[in-house]
Amino acid sequence: MSMLTPPGMGGKYRVTGAAYPRMSRKRSRPRIVLAVLGSVLALALVGYGALQLIDVFRGDSPKRNTAAGAKDCPTTPPKPAAKGGSTAASTASASAPAKPAVVLPPPGEITVNVYNATPRAGLAKAVGDELAKRGFVVGQVGNAPADFDKKVPGTGILLGSPTTDEAAYSVLGTQLTGTTQQNDTRETADIDLILGDAFKELSTKEDADKALALLANPVPAPAKC
C-alpha cells in the first residue's frame, strides 16, 4: 500500500506511483522559435565577419579599390613606332605633349641701369660688374633717384617703360629673387634695377642659368584624370 493511501482505503482508491501527477513545465513555442532565429543570426554574422577578414588580407576591400581607382589615371597602350623610330619616344610624345619653347632675348640685348637705394656704399657698382660678366649690357650705375632712395624695403624694383618686353623683365628677374615690376614714362627699352634694403646678393650664376633654362623650356603640366 502506498503511503499516500489513507488508512482503511484500498482497492481502487489506492494511489500507486504511476498515478503521481507530473510537475514538469510545458515548453513555450515562442521561446524555441526565438532561440532558433538567434542561432541562425549568429551564424550569419560569423560568416560575414570571416568574409570581411578574407577581403582585408587579400587587399580586395571596396574602399581600397575605390581609392585606387580615384588616384590612378587611365593609361592608354603606346602606339607602335614607325619604321626607324623609337617606341619610347612615341610613347612620351603621345602621353604628354611638350609646351613650345619660349623665345627669350639674350642678356646681350638687355640694357640694365643699376641704382642703389640702400645705405651700402658701392653696391650698385658691384652688382653692375657682376651683371656685365653674365652678359648683360650695363648702362648707368649710381645712387637711386630721390623718389626711391632709402624707400625700397624689398629686394629691388625693375623699372621700365610700358612698352618694355615682358620677356626682358623675366630674363633679368632670373638673376635675383623677390623683385617687383613698375613702369614709368620713358620711351626707351632699358630697364632700371633699383636695389632695396632686403637685397643681399645676386643669385649664383648656376641657379640663374637653371632658372633661365626653365623659363625658356617650361615643364609640361601633369595630365589631369
Side-chain angles (χ1 to χ4, degrees):
M1 180 181 296
S2 173
M3 295 179 63
L4 300 176
T5 304
M9 297 182 65
K12 64 179 181 178
Y13 298 103
R14 185 175 58 185
V15 179
T16 63
Y20 293 160
R22 296 184 178 180
M23 304 302 292
S24 61
R25 295 181 180 179
K26 295 182 178 181
R27 294 185 177 180
S28 176
R29 288 186 177 181
R31 292 185 178 180
I32 297 175
V33 173
L34 290 177
V36 173
L37 290 177
S39 300
V40 173
L41 181 59
L43 290 175
L45 290 175
V46 171
Y48 179 76
L51 290 176
Q52 292 297 318
L53 288 176
I54 293 174
D55 289 342
V56 170
F57 285 112
R58 291 177 57 187
D60 297 334
S61 175
K63 292 183 179 179
R64 181 173 180 178
N65 293 337
T66 302
K71 183 177 180 182
D72 297 335
C73 296
T75 56
T76 55
K79 296 180 180 180
K83 293 182 178 180
S86 172
T87 303
S90 301
T91 305
S93 60
S95 59
K99 292 184 178 181
V102 179
V103 179
L104 300 174
E109 295 181 2
I110 302 175
T111 299
V112 185
N113 305 313
V114 185
Y115 295 109
N116 181 14
T118 75
R120 298 163 58 185
L123 182 61
K125 185 179 185 305
V127 172
D129 291 344
E130 182 61 29
L131 289 176
K133 292 179 181 179
R134 299 184 184 186
F136 291 89
V137 178
V138 178
Q140 299 183 14
V141 176
N143 293 327
D147 292 342
F148 297 98
D149 192 26
K150 312 298 188 299
K151 299 176 183 178
V152 181
T155 302
I157 297 174
L158 301 181
L159 183 64
S161 73
T163 59
T164 300
D165 188 2
E166 291 293 332
Y169 284 119
S170 300
V171 172
L172 182 56
T174 60
Q175 307 303 309
L176 69 166
T177 59
T179 58
T180 59
Q181 181 179 325
Q182 296 183 16
N183 295 328
D184 58 11
T185 59
R186 77 182 68 188
E187 297 180 356
T188 56
D190 58 330
I191 301 175
D192 293 348
L193 172 57
I194 305 175
L195 304 172
D197 293 334
F199 177 82
K200 301 300 181 183
E201 59 184 1
L202 292 174
S203 302
T204 63
K205 189 176 185 307
E206 181 181 1
D207 290 341
D209 290 343
K210 289 180 180 179
L212 191 60
L214 185 61
L215 188 65
N217 299 284
V219 178
K224 296 182 179 179
C225 299

